């Protein structure tokens, strides 16, 4: 089992890099990405799209306005790359179909993240969990079908039990999952025991994240239950 | 052909049951039912990954019904076979494929069983084998039945009628999808032909009983059984019942049989994914006679009624125990609440309301599906027990009046209203109609806040002297547009929107202040962007509160509260409660003790952020038991008094009494 670090701010990323961390879990935050893209020995797992920022921007500019701002911030090359998926789902974008818009926003962030050494892209837990709750199989399916080169697509959830149940019901094949894992059981839903059973079955590669005090003990626990990788939140 | 998960230690032959077609509509339920009865299952499937995703603890053998070697491999070492795999497409060009899978495949399966001494074979056939006019499916299933009957095996054939149940697959799921999307519902011909659909769990139970073969000491070997539901009804009655239970008011229109048949024939030339197949069509217009007596006698078959089954299909649970909730206002918070409710058991969203009809499509695309209304009166005409009111605060009172008049419980998103006068009106409405009402302040439901309350109530800090609080978020860094920045609609700026969360926390922990002094700042907006507030409590306890939505470095709302008492301080933030005590008290030691969020119990669901699922779960429980909630309308009203006092204090430039 390897260990990575989950950072939200550039300052945290810098500190973690200085202390020897080389595997980062990030959102597509401009400053963080700018710093990490300058480091050749760093690899990334990203949480996309940056849901809380979109919610804030959506509140202010509306859905289409927010999307247009995002598109404008891309360079011409990335805009051309975006053209194909946009044309393919043109009418659905106009109709504000979230099953198309969410994967599209994730793809936009992928274009931004390409400059870094991106290994995995996890769909943000706000969106994954909302889709799981409302039975929105198509949204997750569309996300998992994104055309990304050399990047694994996974789901981030705060409800691992619900995810396991729904994916089972839907027959949806997801190989990479990120969820909270802590020795104390915090965030392991519905129960710590249920989550342990799920990962021990080994159907998928499970990645964990969480704030911890005693890294050594947590690492031992993560190893014991069979986590693939574990991100310590800063 | 890949053999996967085959245990090194061969499972004892007498325990292992092979299920073909395990990922199909009936197959999935059969496998789960068998697993639930402690049976060991081997699934014979084409897609191993899909099967792995569907079930745990099953053995998987991949292959298909046209491949002799894969069938032989699947049959090896099993004690019985339940055969469900079939080719159902009705495209003319696929007639050969139907024959290859359904008939030749059956021959291969029978041969494999005979050669490997697997005696027991239970096959799921169809009532379509009994019809005069048959499509590919009916015809090939009839031939397959004949193959089985001529074999030397201990066979049993079950022939269900139209099988329905929850899930995305099957004719019934298609009918339900059509009912949701079409403006009118087409019925083929007069719709008077009778049918007797059977619930999928009843079919699965029957198969298990047949396999057990010991119910009532009757032998099911070498017998063919009809399986049907307990209710015989016309297709039109079936649709009417389905639409009624789905709460869809759709007109049923007749479409001539020839037009349907022609349409299906034409469409089947271009696609195999038809909403209804030719065999379905033939099945819908040709009545077959079913005799359930042999199944009742031999293995105690007791199917449920159609109403019972359709309710379970639509609601997932007994509808009498379902709390039916409507969502008023489909903005950000309306959608978060709708998502949480979708995941709570025993809750069904039965109606949606928003004045803006254009949000309907994107709301549906999020998976939140219920009849959508732009008229509140039409919305309130739906079957409802409770509503979520997530509209700009200016509209809450008038909506609450109407909802309460319908006797509906209400969860009102915070702040309660845009003014104290309106909040007072809402409180009066709730009391007059005696309805359950909750207000969406979720912080008191958070485990850390509850821990802080427990510590304070235990008197660990001794007499409280003062406190300091802050609520910061980076939201407004320039002039912004929208109703949130209009005092009349939103009721205020950062104090009403975010500061009210901190005020709810202070109210929950320390109670109501006596006096308030507020200073507001407006660098960007017409409403306040920053506020500095002093709260005065009895015995000269004073607290200061800073609120700002224009602070840099706060991606999300961040609350902090430090309470100082005679015996030390309690510091509450988003992640921890930290105690710093002068003397040991109630088990808490001298010096610093940090209680992390991670050390406290976690609620079994989190959607949209911590506290949302907890507050809605508490609300739903209160609706069920006609009970109380932690943050009701009284608490919401008192928090509104604090908000209003801050604004009044600023306007009057003096401390105001509460």
């Amino acid at each position: 089992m390897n260990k990575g670090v989950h950072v939200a701010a550039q300052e945290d990323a810098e500190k973690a890099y200085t202390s020897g961390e080389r595997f980062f879990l990030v959102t597509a935050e401009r400053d963080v990405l700018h710093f990490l893209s300058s480091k050749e020995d760093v690899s990334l797992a990203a949480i996309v799209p940056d849901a809380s920022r979109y919610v804030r921007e959506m509140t202010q500019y509306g859905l289409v306005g927010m999307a247009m701002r995002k598109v404008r911030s891309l360079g011409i090359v990335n805009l051309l790359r975006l053209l194909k998926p946009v044309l393919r789902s043109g009418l659905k974008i106009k109709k504000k179909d979230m099953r198309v818009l969410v994967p599209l926003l994730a793809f936009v962030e992928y274009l931004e993240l390409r400059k870094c050494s991106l290994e995995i892209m996890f769909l943000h837990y706000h969106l994954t969990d909302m889709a799981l709750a409302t039975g929105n199989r198509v949204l997750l399916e569309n996300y998992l079908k994104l055309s990304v080169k050399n990047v694994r697509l996974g789901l981030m959830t705060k409800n691992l039990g619900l995810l396991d149940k729904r994916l089972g019901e839907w027959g949806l094949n997801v190989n990479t999952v990120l969820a909270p894992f802590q020795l104390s059981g915090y965030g392991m839903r519905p129960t710590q025991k249920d989550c342990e059973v799920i990962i021990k079955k080994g159907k998928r590669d499970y990645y964990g994240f969480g704030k911890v005090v005693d890294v050594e003990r947590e690492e031992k626990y993560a190893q014991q239950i069979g986590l693939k990788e574990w991100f310590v939140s800063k | 052909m890949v053999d996967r998960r085959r245990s090194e230690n061969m499972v004892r032959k007498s325990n292992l049951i092979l299920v073909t077609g395990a990922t199909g509509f009936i197959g999935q339920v059969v496998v789960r039912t068998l697993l639930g009865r402690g049976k060991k299952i081997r699934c014979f499937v084409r897609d191993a990954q899909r099967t792995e995703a569907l079930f745990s603890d099953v053995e998987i053998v991949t292959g298909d019904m046209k491949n002799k070697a894969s069938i032989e491999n699947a049959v090896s070492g099993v004690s019985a076979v339940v055969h469900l795999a079939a080719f159902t497409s009705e495209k003319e060009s696929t007639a050969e494929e139907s024959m290859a899978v359904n008939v030749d495949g059956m021959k291969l399966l029978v041969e494999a069983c005979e050669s490997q001494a697997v005696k027991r074979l239970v096959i799921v056939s169809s009532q379509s084998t009994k019809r005069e006019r048959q499509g590919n499916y009916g015809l090939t299933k009839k031939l397959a039945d004949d193959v089985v009957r001529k074999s030397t095996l201990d066979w049993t054939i079950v022939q269900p009628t139209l099988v329905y149940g929850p899930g995305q697959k099957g004719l019934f799921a298609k009918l339900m999808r059509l009912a949701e999307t079409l403006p009118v519902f087409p019925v083929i011909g007069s719709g008077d032909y009778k049918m007797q659909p059977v619930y999928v769990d009843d079919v699965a139970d029957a198969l298990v009983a047949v396999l057990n073969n010991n119910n009532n000491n009757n032998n099911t070997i070498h017998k063919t059984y009809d399986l049907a539901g307990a209710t015989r009804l016309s297709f039109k009655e079936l649709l009417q019942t389905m639409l009624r239970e789905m709460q869809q008011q759709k007109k049923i229109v007749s479409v001539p049989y020839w037009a349907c048949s022609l349409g299906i024939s034409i469409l089947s030339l271009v696609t195999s994914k038809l909403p209804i197949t030719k065999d379905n069509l033939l099945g819908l217009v040709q009545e077959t006679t079913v005799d359930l007596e042999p199944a009742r006698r031999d293995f105690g078959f007791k199917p449920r009624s159609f109403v019972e089954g359709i309710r379970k299909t639509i609601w997932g649970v007994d509808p009498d125990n379902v709390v039916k909730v409507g969502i008023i206002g489909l903005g950000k918070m309306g959608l978060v609440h709708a998502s949480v409710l979708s995941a709570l058991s025993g809750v069904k969203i039965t109606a949606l309301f928003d004045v803006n009809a254009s949000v309907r499509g994107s709301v549906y695309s999020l998976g939140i599906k219920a009849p959508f209304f732009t008229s509140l009166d039409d919305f309130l005409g739906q079957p409802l027990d409770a509503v979520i009111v997530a509209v700009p605060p200016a509209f809450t009172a008038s909506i609450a009046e109407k909802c309460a008049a319908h006797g509906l419980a209400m969860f009102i998103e915070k702040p309660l209203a845009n003014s104290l006068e309106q909040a007072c009106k809402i409180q009066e409405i709730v009391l007059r109609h005696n309805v359950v009402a909750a207000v969406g302040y979720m912080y008191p439901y958070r485990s850390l806040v509850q821990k802080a309350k427990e510590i304070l109530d235990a008197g660990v800090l001794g007499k409280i002297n003062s406190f300091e609080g802050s609520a910061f978020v980076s939201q407004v860094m320039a002039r912004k547009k929208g109703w949130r920045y209009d005092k009349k609609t939103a009721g205020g700026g950062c104090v009403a929107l975010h500061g009210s969360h901190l005020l709810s926390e202070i109210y929950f922990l320390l109670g109501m202040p006596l006096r308030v002094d507020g200073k507001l700042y407006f660098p960007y907006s017409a409403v306040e962007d920053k506020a500095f507030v002093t709260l005065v409590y009895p015995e000269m306890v004073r607290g200061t509160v800073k609120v700002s939505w224009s602070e840099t470095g706060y991606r999300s709302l961040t609350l902090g509260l430090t309470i100082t008492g005679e015996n030390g301080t309690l510091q509450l933030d988003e992640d921890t409660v930290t105690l710093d005590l002068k003397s040991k008290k109630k088990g808490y030691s001298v010096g610093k003790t940090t209680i992390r969020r991670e050390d406290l119990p976690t609620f079994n669901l989190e959607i949209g952020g911590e506290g949302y699922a907890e507050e809605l779960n508490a609300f739903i429980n209160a609706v069920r038991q006609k009970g109380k909630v932690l943050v009701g309308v009284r608490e919401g009203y008192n928090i509104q008094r604090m908000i209003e006092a801050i604004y009044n204090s600023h306007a009057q430039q003096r401390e105001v009494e509460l």
Side-chain angles (χ1 to χ4, degrees):
Chain A
M1 197 222 42
N2 297 313
K3 185 167 72 68
V5 62
H6 176 200
V7 291
Q10 188 191 347
E11 198 184 297
D12 295 330
E14 282 176 10
K15 270 187 206 163
Y17 183 81
T18 311
S19 65
E21 301 287 357
R22 291 297 179 265
F23 192 27
F24 288 80
L25 175 66
V26 297
T27 50
E29 192 70 38
R30 193 174 291 270
D31 296 343
V32 178
L33 289 184
H34 182 71
F35 170 74
L36 293 174
S37 63
S38 66
K39 309 291 173 199
E40 281 180 4
D41 53 349
V42 157
S43 47
L44 288 189
I47 303 163
V48 295
D50 185 356
S52 53
R53 191 179 58 187
Y54 285 122
V55 168
R56 280 201 307 274
E57 291 187 0
M58 196 161 76
T59 309
Q60 189 177 358
Y61 307 109
L63 191 68
V64 175
M66 175 199 68
M68 291 314 292
R69 283 172 68 85
K70 189 78 189 169
V71 164
R72 267 186 237 129
S73 72
L74 293 166
I76 190 82
V77 179
N78 282 339
L79 276 176
L80 289 172
R81 285 197 179 103
L82 197 58
L83 207 60
K84 194 176 155 192
V86 167
L87 287 175
R88 207 166 35 203
S89 45
L91 204 61
K92 287 184 176 167
I93 295 173
K94 194 170 172 277
K95 285 183 175 172
K96 298 174 188 172
D97 189 325
M98 300 306 280
R99 293 167 297 190
V100 166
L101 279 173
V102 168
L104 198 63
L105 288 175
F107 187 69
V108 168
E109 294 200 2
Y110 159 75
L111 294 175
E112 288 176 334
L113 289 158
R114 284 174 82 235
K115 59 190 170 200
C116 307
S117 171
L118 182 64
E119 283 188 14
I120 317 169
M121 229 166 71
F122 292 106
L123 184 67
H124 198 291
Y125 64 84
H126 276 317
L127 295 159
T128 304
D129 290 336
M130 195 181 236
L132 294 173
T134 58
N136 200 340
R137 180 178 57 88
V138 180
L139 188 151
L140 299 184
E141 220 166 27
N142 286 349
Y143 168 75
L144 294 164
K145 276 189 215 158
L146 281 179
S147 164
V148 289
K149 272 184 195 160
N150 303 322
V151 176
R152 268 182 294 155
L153 292 171
L155 300 178
M156 181 188 194
T157 180
K158 286 197 168 183
N159 301 280
L160 186 67
L162 182 64
L163 177 127
D164 192 61
K165 183 174 169 251
R166 285 276 196 268
L167 296 187
E169 286 165 0
W170 296 338
L172 203 58
N173 195 31
V174 180
N175 294 323
T176 314
V177 168
L178 175 65
F181 285 101
Q182 303 251 318
L183 185 55
S184 67
Y186 178 75
M188 294 167 74
R189 299 182 176 89
T191 67
Q192 184 173 24
K193 204 177 164 197
D194 288 329
C195 291
E196 285 176 2
V197 169
I198 289 167
I199 49 169
K200 275 179 184 164
K201 276 182 196 161
K203 272 193 213 169
R204 312 177 177 93
D205 286 345
Y206 291 99
Y207 292 72
F209 73 96
K211 279 190 178 172
V212 296
V213 178
D214 188 338
V215 177
E216 224 168 87
R217 278 182 69 207
E218 294 285 347
E219 212 170 272
K220 204 173 157 191
Y221 173 66
Q223 211 158 15
Q224 189 193 327
I225 58 173
L227 283 185
K228 172 100 174 162
E229 202 114 20
W230 181 54
F231 297 100
V232 179
S233 299
K234 295 286 176 189
Chain B
M1 180 185 59
V2 188
D3 193 347
R4 303 188 60 172
R5 290 203 180 174
R6 183 74 64 93
S7 169
E8 285 300 315
N9 306 313
M10 192 70 171
V11 180
R12 279 183 57 226
K13 189 173 176 176
S14 58
N15 285 339
L16 191 60
I17 296 166
L18 175 71
V19 180
T20 72
T23 57
F25 172 56
I26 306 173
Q28 287 185 30
V29 184
V30 170
V31 172
R32 290 208 176 93
T33 307
L34 287 167
L35 287 171
R37 308 276 167 94
K39 304 286 182 190
K40 288 194 166 56
I41 304 296
R42 178 184 293 166
C43 298
F44 181 55
V45 291
R46 282 173 296 170
D47 183 349
Q49 282 188 332
R50 180 168 152 66
T51 315
E52 277 180 2
L54 279 170
F55 317 110
S56 40
D57 305 326
V58 295
E59 197 182 296
I60 299 168
V61 174
T62 53
D64 71 66
M65 291 303 294
K66 294 183 291 181
N67 184 320
K68 189 178 176 186
S70 70
I71 294 173
E72 282 171 352
N73 186 38
V75 167
S76 163
V78 303
S79 61
V81 178
V82 180
H83 178 60
L84 293 126
F87 189 79
T88 55
S89 173
E90 290 290 333
K91 264 173 87 172
E92 285 302 325
S93 58
T94 56
E96 247 176 59
E97 187 73 2
S98 287
M99 191 60 88
V101 174
N102 296 350
V103 185
D104 298 342
M106 182 60 85
K107 283 179 191 163
L108 294 175
L109 181 64
V110 165
E111 280 167 21
C113 289
E114 284 174 337
S115 68
Q116 298 191 47
V118 176
K119 288 292 281 178
R120 191 74 177 111
L121 174 66
V122 179
I123 72 160
V124 177
S125 175
S126 166
Q127 284 290 315
S128 61
T129 59
K130 292 157 73 176
R131 291 183 201 128
E132 265 179 41
R133 284 181 294 157
Q134 288 165 331
N136 286 335
Y137 180 69
L139 188 71
T140 52
K141 286 302 272 186
K142 190 177 182 203
L143 292 171
D145 289 358
D146 291 342
V147 171
V148 173
R149 288 191 184 105
K150 283 176 193 159
S151 74
T152 59
L153 302 174
D154 291 344
W155 56 264
T156 305
I157 299 171
V158 297
Q159 296 184 324
T161 53
L162 172 66
V163 184
Y164 69 98
Q168 308 283 327
K169 290 189 168 187
L171 175 65
F172 226 81
K174 287 176 193 167
L175 290 177
M176 283 170 62
R177 277 200 291 275
L178 290 177
E180 276 177 350
T181 48
L182 293 178
V184 291
F185 204 98
V187 60
I188 300 142
S190 65
D192 290 335
Y193 30 88
K194 298 282 184 194
M195 54 203 315
Q196 208 167 331
V198 58
Y199 190 68
V200 66
D201 286 12
D202 293 335
V203 176
D205 287 342
L207 288 170
V208 173
V210 166
L211 267 178
N212 284 343
N213 195 29
N214 54 4
N215 291 52
N216 306 332
N217 294 321
N218 277 307
N219 204 327
T220 58
I221 288 167
H222 297 157
K223 288 183 183 170
T224 301
Y225 294 98
D226 286 337
L227 295 181
T231 313
R232 191 163 174 83
L233 72 179
S234 72
F235 184 57
K236 206 169 180 177
E237 287 166 337
L238 176 142
L239 288 180
Q240 282 164 343
T241 311
M242 185 184 83
L243 290 169
R244 190 181 62 237
E245 293 299 330
M246 288 175 78
Q247 287 148 14
Q248 296 274 355
Q249 289 158 348
K250 297 259 162 90
K251 201 176 165 189
I252 295 175
V253 292
S254 286
V255 180
Y257 173 79
W258 64 265
C260 285
S261 181
L262 184 67
I264 288 169
S265 298
I266 294 168
L267 282 172
S268 68
L269 294 173
V270 288
T271 177
S272 59
K273 289 182 178 172
L274 294 167
I276 183 168
T277 67
K278 200 168 181 181
D279 198 80
N280 290 151
L281 187 65
L282 289 165
L284 290 174
V285 295
Q286 289 181 85
E287 288 182 15
T288 50
T289 316
V290 288
D291 181 7
L292 295 182
E293 191 43 39
R296 274 192 200 116
R297 184 191 59 226
D298 289 357
F299 51 90
F301 183 60
K302 203 179 164 196
R304 69 198 74 198
S305 71
F306 181 66
V307 169
E308 238 179 297
I310 193 72
R311 282 183 179 172
K312 202 151 191 276
T313 303
I314 296 166
W315 299 95
V317 278
D318 179 359
D320 294 337
N321 293 325
V322 165
V323 178
K324 300 176 207 60
V325 186
I327 314 284
I328 300 176
L330 293 158
K332 178 191 146 196
M333 287 317 299
L335 296 177
V336 168
H337 293 316
S339 304
V340 173
L341 290 169
S342 302
L344 290 178
S345 62
V347 179
K348 176 83 182 171
I349 298 173
T350 52
L352 304 169
F353 168 83
D354 200 291
V355 286
N356 183 2
S358 71
V359 302
R360 177 188 155 132
S362 67
V363 170
Y364 279 2
S365 75
L366 278 168
I368 300 160
K369 289 206 174 147
F372 181 97
F373 301 91
T374 51
S375 150
L376 191 60
D377 291 332
D378 291 346
F379 167 89
L380 291 171
Q382 297 303 300
L384 289 166
D385 299 313
V387 289
I388 306 294
V389 184
V391 297
F395 309 113
T396 307
S398 59
I399 288 170
E401 177 76 72
K402 285 194 170 188
C403 294
H406 280 74
L408 300 178
M410 292 180 283
F411 179 96
I412 300 168
E413 191 39 64
K414 64 90 205 163
L416 181 59
N418 63 337
S419 68
L420 189 61
E421 188 196 341
Q422 292 293 299
C424 184
K425 193 177 164 190
I426 294 168
Q427 193 183 28
E428 183 271 320
I429 290 165
V430 168
L431 290 173
R432 179 159 36 95
H433 292 279
N434 190 26
V435 290
V436 172
V439 184
Y441 289 108
M442 85 288 198
Y443 273 82
Y445 290 92
R446 290 191 171 183
S447 53
L448 278 174
V449 180
Q450 299 210 345
K451 189 72 191 171
K453 170 91 172 151
E454 185 190 303
I455 292 166
L456 289 172
D457 287 352
V460 175
L461 289 189
K463 183 188 169 296
I464 305 296
N465 293 327
S466 64
F467 63 89
E468 270 179 45
S470 60
F472 294 145
V473 63
S474 316
Q475 180 180 323
V476 180
M477 299 302 179
R479 192 161 189 86
K480 288 203 174 187
K481 288 184 284 183
W483 67 262
R484 285 192 190 283
Y485 309 98
D486 171 38
K487 167 105 187 186
K488 210 174 158 190
T489 312
C494 67
V495 172
L497 185 66
H498 299 307
S500 59
H501 275 305
L502 180 61
L503 295 176
S504 76
E505 205 173 89
I506 292 169
Y507 177 80
F508 180 64
L509 296 174
L510 302 169
M512 196 69 182
L514 293 175
R515 295 188 301 278
V516 171
D517 183 55
K519 301 260 183 302
L520 308 177
Y521 303 91
F522 305 79
Y524 306 114
S525 315
V527 288
E528 76 282 358
D529 298 309
K530 296 183 181 194
F532 184 81
V533 179
T534 304
L535 301 171
V536 183
Y537 280 78
E539 298 180 42
M540 294 310 287
V541 175
R542 294 177 84 87
T544 56
V545 168
K546 287 177 192 165
V547 182
S548 169
W549 62 18
S550 305
E551 292 293 308
T552 50
Y554 294 90
R555 282 169 58 85
S556 55
L557 177 64
T558 307
L559 301 193
L561 182 63
T562 304
I563 301 168
T564 307
E566 279 175 340
N567 192 35
T569 60
L570 178 149
Q571 204 179 326
L572 169 65
D573 60 32
E574 298 285 334
D575 300 320
T576 55
V577 173
T578 306
L579 271 177
D580 192 357
L581 297 184
K582 292 173 189 166
S583 64
K584 184 182 172 185
K585 204 160 186 185
K586 305 271 180 186
Y588 293 100
S589 51
V590 180
K592 279 200 174 179
T593 305
T594 301
I595 302 156
R596 301 177 320 135
R597 193 168 56 159
E598 285 78 4
D599 302 326
L600 297 172
T602 307
F603 188 62
N604 62 15
L605 182 73
E606 184 184 320
I607 292 166
E610 193 191 350
Y612 292 121
E614 288 91 327
E615 64 177 356
L616 279 179
N617 188 53
F619 171 64
I620 294 297
N621 285 337
V623 173
R624 280 204 184 97
Q625 294 152 15
K626 274 261 167 198
K628 286 195 170 177
V629 287
L630 194 59
V631 187
V633 79
R634 179 174 165 267
E635 289 74 20
Y637 171 72
N638 280 335
I639 296 162
Q640 196 78 42
R641 282 173 66 200
M642 292 160 81
I643 298 170
E644 187 99 340
I646 293 169
Y647 293 145
N648 286 342
S649 165
H650 175 79
Q652 295 166 22
Q653 294 190 321
R654 63 175 179 86
E655 205 172 80
V656 295
E657 301 276 335
L658 269 162

